[in-house]
Amino acid sequence: MPLGPWRKKNKSKEHLVDNEEVGGGHAGSAGSFAKSGSNGAGLPPPPANLRPKLVFHTQLAHGSPTGRIEGFANVKELYGKIAEAFNISPPEILFCTLNTHKIDMEKLLGGQIGLEDFIFAHIRGIKKEVEVYKYEDALGLTITDNGAGYAFIKRIKEGSVVDGVKVISVGDHVECINGQNIVGTRHYEVARMLKELPRDKSFTLKLVEPMKAFEMLEPRSKGAKPASENKIGTGRGTLRLRSKGPATVEEEPTEFEEKAVKKVDDLLESYMGIRDTELASTMVEVGRDKKNPDEFAMALDETLGDFAFPDEFVFDVWGAIGDAKQGRF
C-alpha cells in the first residue's frame, strides 16, 4: 500500500476537510444535512423536506455585523454562505475560527462545528513578499490548509529559521514559493515543496496576512501548541463536514476519540509536516474496529486513496488508536 510519504496514487484534488515542515465554493441549498452516526463513507442525503435546518451565526473577524448562515455541507459551501452574507467573494476568506475573532490556531475550524459555535471568518489583508535564507534543513513551519485551496502557517517553531524572519506570522497564507503560485495546493504538498528547497540558499515567499482590526494588532504568535484540551465544539453536538457525502450531525467526540485524534494529528505533523484534524478523525474512524495493522492499512488505502502513507506511520497510527482504546494516554 505505501508508496512513500509524499507520492500520491492519483491526480484527484478532492479535499479531506470539512491540517513539521513543511485536523471558494458555491452556496448549497438550505438544510443540506443528514443526521446519522459516524459513517466515514457518508450516505446519500435524505429528501430535502426531511433534512434538519441548522442555523449558525457568523461575523468577519476584523469586525462586522452578525450574519446568519445555513444550508452548507462542506467547507467550500460554508465559505460561499459566509461570502453571500457579507457581500464578498468566497476566495477572500482565508480561514475561520470558532468562538473567537483572534488568530487562534487552537480554535481553527476544521471538519467539525459545535451546534452552538459562533463562526468568525478571517479575510485577506496585507500582501507581503519576503526573502528567506535557509541555513538549516528545517524551516520550523507547520502548514495546514483551509479546505478550499489556501495553505497557511499554523505554527512557527521558536528559534527556527522562520522565527528569525519577523515579518512572517502565524495565519499567513502562503501564496507563492519562488514565484510559483501554489493556490489550490494541499498542505502536505506545500510542506514537501518547502522541505525540498536547497539548504544554504535564499528563497522567496509571497504571503497574505489576515485582515486585522486595530485592537487586534499585537506581537505575532508562535501558533497553537501541540498539547490542547480544547473541545471541538461548545454545543451538545457537532456538525461534521465531509468532502464526500452529506454533512452529519453527531454527538460530541468521546474521550477516546479526542485523545486518538489528538495523537494521530501529532503523528501527521511529525511524519508529514501538516496538521489536519479532519484527516486524523477519518483515520481514527477507519481504525476503530480493525483487528490488525494490515487490515487497517488496507482500509486506509480504500478510504484515503489520494494518500500513500509510509509503513512506519501507519503502524504508529494503529498503535495510537490502540493506546487510546486502552486509556494508555
Side-chain angles (χ1 to χ4, degrees):
M1 162 234 172
L3 302 176
W6 302 112
R7 179 178 164 199
K8 294 175 67 178
K9 293 179 63 180
N10 55 49
K11 297 182 179 179
S12 170
K13 292 294 182 181
E14 284 197 330
H15 292 255
L16 289 170
V17 172
D18 32 51
N19 255 180
E20 148 153 274
E21 193 89 339
V22 286
H26 61 278
S29 58
S32 57
F33 310 114
K35 186 171 184 178
S36 75
S38 55
N39 182 353
L43 297 173
N49 61 339
L50 297 180
R51 299 174 195 171
K53 184 177 181 180
L54 303 177
V55 178
F56 295 85
H57 293 86
T58 183
Q59 286 183 358
L60 299 181
H62 65 281
S64 76
T66 299
R68 290 163 56 91
I69 56 173
E70 60 183 273
F72 54 91
N74 54 52
V75 171
K76 286 186 178 181
E77 292 184 5
L78 166 62
Y79 289 174
K81 288 294 186 179
I82 294 173
E84 181 181 315
F86 296 109
N87 195 29
I88 62 175
S89 171
E92 288 294 304
I93 301 172
L94 295 180
F95 56 86
C96 294
T97 50
L98 299 177
N99 306 314
T100 179
H101 66 284
K102 296 182 178 180
I103 302 172
D104 184 348
M105 295 293 108
E106 293 280 5
K107 303 293 187 179
L108 193 66
L109 184 150
Q112 294 181 322
I113 307 173
L115 299 185
E116 297 179 6
D117 280 344
F118 198 108
I119 303 170
F120 289 88
H122 299 256
I123 68 172
R124 296 171 66 93
I126 298 172
K127 290 187 176 184
K128 49 195 179 183
E129 183 171 337
V130 59
E131 185 175 279
V132 181
Y133 180 70
K134 187 178 181 181
Y135 58 84
E136 292 181 352
D137 291 330
L139 291 171
L141 289 179
T142 297
I143 299 294
T144 190
D145 67 33
N146 70 352
Y150 287 169
F152 60 94
I153 298 170
K154 187 168 185 179
R155 185 177 304 135
I156 298 173
K157 183 178 180 180
E158 188 172 358
S160 65
V161 172
V162 170
D163 189 35
V165 185
K166 300 307 180 184
V167 72
I168 301 176
S169 301
V170 167
D172 284 354
H173 161 48
V174 184
E175 190 172 58
C176 293
I177 301 174
N178 281 338
Q180 179 182 348
N181 190 302
I182 60 167
V183 173
T185 304
R186 287 305 309 269
H187 47 13
Y188 53 87
E189 294 171 329
V190 175
R192 176 177 55 80
M193 293 170 66
L194 291 169
K195 187 180 183 70
E196 291 177 352
L197 290 169
R199 181 172 172 168
D200 297 324
K201 290 188 176 181
S202 296
F203 65 95
T204 301
L205 293 176
K206 287 186 178 180
L207 307 168
V208 181
E209 69 178 40
M211 186 176 292
K212 300 181 179 72
F214 180 77
E215 64 271 15
M216 291 173 63
L217 298 177
E218 56 189 26
R220 72 172 186 172
S221 168
K222 302 296 182 188
K225 295 181 179 179
S228 170
E229 297 180 356
N230 290 333
K231 302 220 172 170
I232 293 175
T234 59
R236 296 180 180 177
T238 61
L239 178 67
R240 178 80 179 271
L241 305 177
R242 305 179 187 276
S243 61
K244 299 178 181 179
T248 56
V249 178
E250 303 175 356
E251 296 297 322
E252 280 207 4
T254 64
E255 184 178 3
F256 153 72
E257 290 168 335
E258 287 187 340
K259 289 182 176 180
V261 168
K262 163 68 173 55
K263 181 61 177 177
V264 173
D265 201 26
D266 288 345
L267 289 170
L268 282 169
E269 180 173 26
S270 176
Y271 277 89
M272 301 179 68
I274 63 174
R275 294 193 76 87
D276 189 329
T277 54
E278 176 58 15
L279 177 57
S281 297
T282 300
M283 298 181 79
V284 170
E285 283 185 7
V286 169
R288 182 191 297 271
D289 59 351
K290 301 301 179 289
K291 297 182 176 63
N292 55 64
D294 288 338
E295 186 179 336
F296 176 53
M298 292 179 63
L300 279 182
D301 211 17
E302 293 175 0
T303 307
L304 300 172
D306 289 350
F307 292 83
F309 301 109
D311 288 338
E312 186 179 359
F313 170 77
V314 173
F315 187 81
D316 283 352
V317 170
W318 167 254
I321 295 172
D323 286 344
K325 286 180 180 178
Q326 299 299 321
R328 289 196 284 264
F329 57 78

